Amino acid sequence: MASLIRSWIPLLILQSFLVAIAFGSKEAEEFSEALLLKPLPDRKVLAHFHFENRAPPSNSHGRHHHLFPKAISQLVQKFRVKEMELSFTQGRWNHEHWGGFDPLSSMNAKPVGVELWAVFDVPQSQVDTSWKNLTHALSGLFCASINFLESSTSYAAPTWGFGTNSDKLRYGSLPREAVCTENLTPWLKLLPCRDKDGISALMNRPSVYRGFYHSQRLHLSTVESGQEGLGSGIVLEQTLTVVLQPETTSVETNMQPSWSLSSLFGRKVVGSCVLAKSSNVYLQLEGRLGHESKNVDTEIEAHKLWKNADFDLSLKPDRVLRESSSLLFIFDIDKSSDSEPFDLGLTWKLPSKWSCQQAPLQATRFLMGSGNERGAIAILLKATESQEKLPGRVVTDGRCTIKANIFQIFPWYVKVYYHTLQIFVDQQQKTDCEVLKKINVSPSTDKVSSGMLEMMLELPCEVKSAAISIEYDKGFLHIDEYPPDANQGFDIPSALISFPSHHASLDFQEELSKSPLLSSFKEKSLVRSYTEVLLVPLTTPDFSMPYNVITITCTIFALYFGSLLNVLRRRIGEEERFLKSQAGKKTFGLKQLLSRLTAKIRGRPIEPPSSDSPAAQSSFLSSKLIFKIILVAGAAAAWQYFSTDN
Amino acid sequence: MLADDMACNARNEYPAQVFNNENHKLNLYGDNVEVDYRGYEVTVENFLRVLTGRHENAVPRSKRLLSDEGSHILLYMTGHGGDEFLKFQDAEELQSHDLADAVKQMKEKRRFKELMIMVDTCQAATLFNQLQSPGVLAIGSSLKGENSYSHHLDSDVGVSVVDRFTYYTLAFFERLNIYDNASLNSLFRSYDPKLLMSTAYYRTDLYQPHLAEVPVTNFFGSVMETIHTDSVYKAFSSKTSNNKINSEMPVNQLSEHDELQKANIPNDELKTEKQKCPYTQMRVDLHEKLEKFENVDTVVNLGIAVMVFVVMISSSLL
């Protein structure tokens, strides 16, 4: 042992030189977790879990990860993904009550089902192949049928309507995909502490899936290391947004329900994840204007913030931040453990009402028309009450306008006629040039690719409502292309309405390095909202027809060939004729019968087996005949004898 | 392969939970469930592709049956079926000759050592009428002309929660504890036609070993208790050589309305414990020493530097 140590000392000196050289690539990976709780005006509670994992760029080709999930870094390396977002959602984000203007709803209000978009770093000709392979790899990783996005009929290549400006961007959506435990489990397995420790241990599956809205999202972006082929830095952001309704015992509907972490999730936080750099719980309250004073330094003032006439928090926050009308309480859960679990609770004492800020225009989409031949799609944009108070109104040529981008994908069986596009502003039809500033149309090809429409509208600020309608014809699918439940209908994926002149951000004046959640809120993000998914009933064939066709064809064939064979081969009345001839043989005479029979035998050689030589035949018959006569005579005599006996 | 999403269905009163009993004691849809094929992907084509291994290149490994000639495979199918067929998604059928063909291909490609097929449908025994490959064991819940029935209705959830055959199979396994060495024979004999309301028929003509000697853990996974030992190679010091030690497996949960579940247990027979010899002791010490270093990268760099140094010296000497 000692000799071994002695021999290693000079080599250790050498090692120190190497350490100095290799020091540059030894930046550490970082992981941080956060939970944001926010009571919503319609008696519900929003819980937003945020996990961020950063892998620094490295100079070496292969690298070790100790916090960052290897599956993701392999995905990025293999498919040369520059940016990607995958979300699984069930439920509809209620923009009226839950808000549409804050960064949380802009980033987390996602369309129903699976939505995937990715930007690649490969030559233009290989983007589609990379997309196809990426969808397969993701379907294996997340136990979902994302591989259905591989066919060119289900994805599109948006240009400017989506918000990301790139020609190597592909976007696809599956509205009918179910989301369940089997999707959450692999998503949680990407975290260093899985779902065993820290904030992710709160995720009780029945509680999460009981919510009104749940959306798990994975967003990754690469930070270029500057050199070709070397490991680039990756930032992986995983968020889970759940809207829950706490159970209340109080009968009055004016009061907001009181809740705590254990009543929402059935569990408490027992310690943070040891691998996390920061682990915090935030509570955000909106509409807190007025009675709070600016001065939070004094103890009494600070105490009044979290225990006052309106509400009570069960734990003391570590810090309190304020931004215009929202109040943020920060709790550090490093100190919690098994013996003192962290169970934050909020008790309302007085009824309070507030409203969340909404996007300038609220978008809904619906179908018009009836029948299985044609119809129309309409998007309605209605002004919300917060329209006047919003920043970011653009003034051009003395007029104030709101810019709205609309991005839609139409599957190929919804054959849209782009020339029937009509725009109505305040129920008056406008010619396109007045309102439509930019339009990009990619028409669909039957069974090959889907159609895409991107529009930029410039509406006056005082607009009350705007409507866009477009007509379409319904296409026919081949019988193999129908899903098993074809009579339910087919989905048109959600349209995306974004407002490029408005940016949502929440700035709490906090140092950025501490909290990734707050720094992500601080970045200016595009205000966007997704519309509903439309269900289009298409004509379905009679699926039992192949069976019917086979049955009727076989019946016809059977009848045809059967009757043909009967006509050709069967002799009807052959039996009767034979018997008649037999009977006739007795009355007419032996010789005539014999001659008839021999004639028949000679005429048709395939007669029943007694085809001996005519002479033998005749002798045989004659002896048989004589025997029969004798038998009958004997029977008659016996009958006579016995009958006279009585 | 689950064709319908039962657990997170909008009509399920208990979201993310699937029970096999009215008392709601056991949630089968636990935290570790992974479903590889679901929804519209559950088709006869995909099923046969999984069995025979003929996938497109892009299909990821988790969606493939990665078995070799030493594997034991459990194939469990349930749903609606009839004389020589099984229904898929109410739109397609899997026929008995297709299944037999796929199994024959699997045997030719040496994709399994032993295969157990368990079918719980009406007239289930007809589904494996056409099998001819050796090494296959099959059991069905009913004979031709018989129906298979559900066990009981859960009025809370609104559907029947489990079929009779599956219920009695689960009841058999729940009676065992981890160290029981129950054999397949005892499992097959535990089915009572009066309770099942059908005859559970099994076919052993293609399966060579005697059923009484085959433990159920050959096909059904079990949760092994892991015992922490301080030093390596000292565990289980008095076991004989023909005792098979399985590595830890996930619990093979049979939940109702499954179309298919596979458990792939490699039958690697581990060696017995290593004797304490100086070579292994040295390796253990070296291993412990290496673990003390926090930065494995630097040790590797160090090793390379040493090699370069030695090469330089030797080349200068020559």
Side-chain angles (χ1 to χ4, degrees):
Chain A
M1 250 320 241
S3 59
L4 273 164
I5 293 173
R6 248 182 275 140
S7 59
W8 280 53
I9 288 176
L11 299 175
L12 279 170
I13 300 169
L14 208 57
Q15 179 191 336
S16 57
F17 284 115
L18 290 167
V19 167
I21 296 165
F23 185 73
S25 66
K26 289 292 177 284
E27 279 171 33
E29 298 175 347
E30 283 174 11
F31 171 69
S32 56
E33 53 179 16
L35 167 62
L36 172 74
L37 296 159
K38 186 169 142 175
L40 295 170
D42 59 348
R43 307 164 56 77
K44 298 186 175 63
V45 176
L46 173 90
H48 176 82
F49 295 82
H50 178 103
F51 304 100
E52 191 173 289
N53 212 329
R54 282 179 184 264
S58 73
N59 293 337
S60 53
H61 282 269
R63 49 203 227 157
H64 299 287
H65 293 290
H66 59 278
L67 288 180
F68 198 81
K70 193 170 169 191
I72 299 291
S73 72
Q74 279 183 334
L75 209 72
V76 168
Q77 260 181 357
K78 189 165 173 201
F79 302 119
R80 307 284 299 276
V81 174
K82 219 164 87 168
E83 201 180 341
M84 184 187 93
E85 186 173 293
L86 172 64
S87 70
F88 294 81
T89 315
Q90 284 290 318
R92 200 170 64 84
W93 184 266
N94 189 343
H95 288 275
E96 239 178 71
H97 291 133
W98 304 345
F101 199 74
D102 49 303
L104 202 128
S105 40
S106 303
M107 293 201 290
N108 290 296
K110 288 283 168 195
V112 169
V114 164
E115 191 210 37
L116 171 69
W117 61 263
V119 180
F120 296 93
D121 197 11
V122 292
Q124 187 65 261
S125 52
Q126 294 174 15
V127 177
D128 285 328
T129 327
S130 299
W131 168 263
K132 177 181 165 188
N133 292 334
L134 177 69
T135 53
H136 275 279
L138 287 174
S139 91
L141 188 55
F142 289 103
C143 297
S145 320
I146 304 175
N147 51 319
F148 286 155
L149 287 176
E150 63 165 349
S151 66
S152 51
T153 52
S154 42
Y155 67 85
T159 50
W160 44 265
F162 192 64
T164 319
N165 248 334
S166 168
D167 55 346
K168 296 183 183 168
L169 165 72
R170 295 289 182 267
Y171 173 91
S173 163
L174 288 172
R176 223 183 265 193
E177 190 68 20
V179 179
C180 203
T181 314
E182 68 261 18
N183 302 118
L184 189 58
T185 302
W187 186 91
L188 283 172
K189 286 192 179 165
L190 298 175
L191 301 173
C193 282
R194 311 277 192 272
D195 57 344
K196 302 279 178 260
D197 217 2
I199 288 176
S200 44
L202 271 182
M203 290 186 201
N204 185 23
R205 310 292 193 263
S207 314
V208 169
Y209 290 108
R210 197 184 290 270
F212 282 80
Y213 172 88
H214 57 89
S215 165
Q216 73 189 58
R217 185 175 73 101
L218 182 135
H219 180 103
L220 67 90
S221 51
T222 53
V223 170
E224 283 312 308
S225 64
Q227 275 172 295
E228 182 75 57
L230 291 182
S232 49
I234 312 174
V235 177
L236 176 68
E237 188 190 313
Q238 292 175 257
T239 64
L240 175 71
T241 312
V242 191
V243 174
L244 301 163
Q245 174 137 56
E247 285 141 24
T248 51
T249 46
S250 68
V251 190
E252 352 161 350
T253 46
N254 272 341
M255 285 269 278
Q256 295 280 328
S258 309
W259 51 266
S260 67
L261 281 181
S262 48
S263 75
L264 286 177
F265 294 105
R267 298 176 187 177
K268 305 177 191 171
V269 181
V270 283
S272 65
C273 176
V274 291
L275 301 167
K277 195 170 144 209
S278 73
S279 186
N280 294 324
V281 172
Y282 302 89
L283 175 64
Q284 184 184 6
L285 291 172
E286 299 241 316
R288 300 279 119 209
L289 288 170
H291 53 270
E292 296 89 0
S293 58
K294 284 286 180 185
N295 190 6
V296 292
D297 289 338
T298 61
E299 199 54 44
I300 310 155
E301 289 294 329
H303 191 83
K304 241 202 320 200
L305 278 172
W306 56 280
K307 264 198 194 322
N308 52 35
D310 281 336
F311 61 87
D312 261 354
L313 293 180
S314 63
L315 296 168
K316 181 175 182 297
D318 294 313
R319 275 205 314 281
V320 181
L321 299 174
R322 184 182 294 126
E323 192 264 358
S324 62
S325 67
S326 50
L327 203 58
L328 188 74
F329 299 98
I330 303 181
F331 302 84
D332 197 356
I333 57 168
D334 279 337
K335 304 181 267 310
S336 68
S337 63
D338 251 334
S339 50
E340 13 167 320
F342 177 86
D343 187 12
L344 175 64
L346 175 61
T347 321
W348 293 94
K349 296 204 284 221
L350 286 179
S352 47
K353 274 200 185 312
W354 67 93
S355 64
C356 297
Q357 200 170 33
Q358 296 182 46
L361 298 169
Q362 191 189 343
T364 52
R365 191 172 67 152
F366 47 90
L367 286 173
M368 298 198 299
S370 64
N372 275 342
E373 214 183 316
R374 63 183 78 91
I377 300 173
I379 297 180
L380 182 65
L381 298 167
K382 272 211 299 229
T384 57
E385 18 182 76
S386 40
Q387 194 185 342
E388 294 91 41
K389 310 176 217 148
L390 288 175
R393 299 158 68 176
V394 177
V395 181
T396 52
D397 308 325
R399 294 184 305 131
C400 166
T401 55
I402 300 179
K403 282 212 191 112
N405 273 355
I406 300 177
F407 166 66
Q408 289 200 84
I409 292 186
F410 303 108
W412 69 263
Y413 40 82
V414 172
K415 301 187 205 188
V416 172
Y417 293 110
Y418 295 101
H419 71 279
T420 56
L421 178 71
Q422 287 177 321
I423 304 178
F424 300 83
V425 176
D426 286 332
Q427 276 136 24
Q428 272 180 335
Q429 180 162 11
K430 301 278 184 180
T431 51
D432 292 345
C433 325
E434 285 175 34
V435 182
L436 187 62
K437 292 300 160 194
K438 253 205 300 191
I439 183 166
N440 178 17
V441 161
S442 169
S444 57
T445 318
D446 268 6
K447 300 188 207 227
V448 171
S449 67
S450 50
M452 183 186 66
L453 172 66
E454 292 171 309
M455 293 192 289
M456 181 190 289
L457 301 175
E458 221 174 68
L459 300 164
C461 286
E462 311 79 28
V463 64
K464 288 276 172 296
S465 71
I468 302 112
S469 77
I470 195 163
E471 291 176 25
Y472 67 91
D473 265 0
K474 298 189 192 181
F476 292 100
L477 286 133
H478 191 259
I479 192 169
D480 291 337
E481 292 169 4
Y482 284 96
D485 56 350
N487 286 305
Q488 187 187 7
F490 294 79
D491 298 305
I492 303 181
S494 300
L496 170 65
I497 318 282
S498 50
F499 301 96
S501 47
H502 297 266
H503 295 278
S505 70
L506 271 181
D507 190 356
F508 284 101
Q509 257 93 44
E510 161 79 355
E511 312 119 48
L512 296 174
S513 60
K514 282 277 183 66
S515 163
L517 179 65
L518 294 180
S519 53
S520 73
F521 280 177
K522 194 171 161 155
E523 284 168 19
K524 287 194 183 302
S525 61
L526 198 57
V527 175
R528 46 167 71 146
S529 63
Y530 284 91
T531 62
E532 301 89 339
V533 172
L534 296 175
L535 192 62
V536 172
L538 293 182
T539 46
T540 51
D542 184 357
F543 291 104
S544 62
M545 271 318 278
Y547 169 73
N548 293 346
V549 165
I550 291 170
T551 314
I552 203 169
T553 317
C554 289
T555 311
I556 290 174
F557 271 121
L559 286 174
Y560 172 68
F561 279 110
S563 27
L564 192 69
L565 282 169
N566 275 342
V567 160
L568 288 176
R569 299 303 306 165
R570 208 208 304 183
R571 264 148 287 133
I572 300 167
E574 168 85 2
E575 285 262 346
E576 290 87 4
R577 260 183 270 136
F578 182 68
L579 283 172
K580 224 196 284 182
S581 64
Q582 285 276 22
K585 217 190 324 182
K586 283 193 201 149
T587 55
F588 286 142
L590 193 58
K591 278 268 161 61
Q592 268 186 345
L593 204 58
L594 279 170
S595 60
R596 225 189 285 165
L597 278 166
T598 50
K600 273 197 192 157
I601 288 161
R602 270 192 221 113
R604 285 148 201 142
I606 320 168
E607 273 294 295
S610 54
S611 54
D612 305 340
S613 59
Q617 186 79 346
S618 57
S619 65
F620 176 73
L621 275 170
S622 64
S623 63
K624 209 171 158 197
L625 201 58
I626 293 164
F627 176 69
K628 271 189 194 162
I629 293 169
I630 292 167
L631 193 65
V632 168
W639 171 254
Q640 194 69 24
Y641 177 69
F642 283 110
S643 64
T644 50
D645 240 1
N646 292 335
Chain B
M1 280 193 162
L2 298 183
D4 284 324
D5 176 31
M6 284 295 147
C8 293
N9 201 320
R11 294 181 187 168
N12 189 358
E13 269 288 308
Y14 300 89
Q17 286 158 289
V18 170
F19 304 110
N20 72 325
N21 206 323
E22 214 179 2
N23 56 24
H24 294 180
K25 260 201 244 165
L26 180 63
N27 174 19
L28 298 172
Y29 221 77
D31 283 352
N32 267 328
V33 163
E34 288 189 8
V35 180
D36 299 306
Y37 289 87
R38 63 179 199 171
Y40 294 148
E41 277 191 297
V42 178
T43 56
V44 176
E45 182 195 338
N46 278 346
F47 172 61
L48 295 176
R49 277 183 192 276
V50 164
L51 283 185
T52 53
R54 293 171 195 268
H55 294 280
E56 283 180 27
N57 283 345
V59 171
R61 278 172 68 91
S62 65
K63 286 173 113 161
R64 295 181 192 229
L65 179 64
L66 304 165
S67 60
D68 53 17
E69 62 256 17
S71 305
H72 291 192
I73 302 179
L74 170 70
L75 179 58
Y76 174 82
M77 299 191 271
T78 184
H80 282 297
D83 194 3
E84 314 240 349
F85 71 90
L86 178 93
K87 261 176 121 172
F88 265 63
Q89 298 257 37
D90 219 7
E92 284 184 300
E93 288 161 5
L94 171 74
Q95 310 238 346
S96 58
H97 56 83
D98 285 329
L99 180 65
D101 200 40
V103 172
K104 195 165 160 194
Q105 283 187 47
M106 285 172 85
K107 193 68 194 175
E108 278 173 25
K109 297 255 176 154
R110 285 189 265 187
R111 280 169 70 79
F112 68 91
K113 184 167 165 221
E114 293 178 14
L115 169 67
M116 172 154 167
I117 303 179
M118 238 183 165
V119 189
D120 188 359
T121 67
C122 300
Q123 305 186 48
T126 55
L127 191 67
F128 43 83
N129 263 349
Q130 318 264 0
L131 285 176
Q132 287 165 354
S133 322
V136 179
L137 180 62
I139 178 165
S141 62
S142 49
L143 287 170
K144 176 167 167 151
E146 289 177 355
N147 289 338
S148 292
Y149 298 96
S150 65
H151 191 257
H152 62 268
L153 170 76
D154 181 355
S155 43
D156 228 352
V157 175
V159 291
S160 306
V161 282
V162 67
D163 292 336
R164 284 182 181 258
F165 179 72
T166 311
Y167 181 82
Y168 288 111
T169 311
L170 288 173
F172 175 84
F173 281 106
E174 273 166 40
R175 285 198 291 268
L176 304 176
N177 73 48
I178 282 182
Y179 300 104
D180 267 344
N181 210 5
S183 67
L184 279 180
N185 203 21
S186 53
L187 169 64
F188 289 171
R189 295 221 180 275
S190 72
Y191 297 119
D192 182 4
K194 282 197 272 313
L195 290 174
L196 282 183
M197 290 163 64
S198 61
T199 318
Y201 170 74
Y202 58 95
R203 181 179 172 173
T204 52
D205 55 330
L206 298 167
Y207 191 69
Q208 227 186 2
H210 286 295
L211 282 185
E213 291 163 17
V214 178
V216 285
T217 49
N218 263 13
F219 296 103
F220 294 91
S222 61
V223 177
M224 296 304 287
E225 205 177 295
T226 47
I227 303 171
H228 175 78
T229 55
D230 285 330
S231 62
V232 296
Y233 307 132
K234 266 197 191 159
F236 303 108
S237 50
S238 60
K239 290 277 162 64
T240 55
S241 57
N242 59 358
N243 193 2
K244 286 179 253 185
I245 304 171
N246 281 338
S247 48
E248 45 177 319
M249 300 292 165
V251 175
N252 190 11
Q253 295 165 333
L254 304 169
S255 61
E256 44 104 10
H257 298 158
D258 279 6
E259 287 265 347
L260 177 151
Q261 264 190 17
K262 335 184 264 292
N264 183 2
I265 305 172
N267 187 20
D268 46 343
E269 299 189 61
L270 293 181
K271 307 162 274 287
T272 56
E273 84 287 1
K274 288 269 168 68
Q275 303 296 329
K276 258 188 115 160
C277 75
Y279 171 65
T280 50
Q281 189 62 34
M282 207 166 69
R283 274 188 58 195
V284 165
D285 288 341
L286 192 63
H287 188 69
E288 279 173 350
K289 221 194 305 283
L290 275 177
E291 279 190 322
K292 287 197 204 118
F293 283 105
E294 273 150 17
N295 238 334
V296 186
D297 276 346
T298 52
V299 175
V300 169
N301 290 339
L302 176 68
I304 292 172
V306 167
M307 240 172 29
V308 164
F309 193 56
V310 166
V311 162
M312 278 188 338
I313 289 179
S314 54
S315 61
S316 68
L317 281 175
L318 286 171

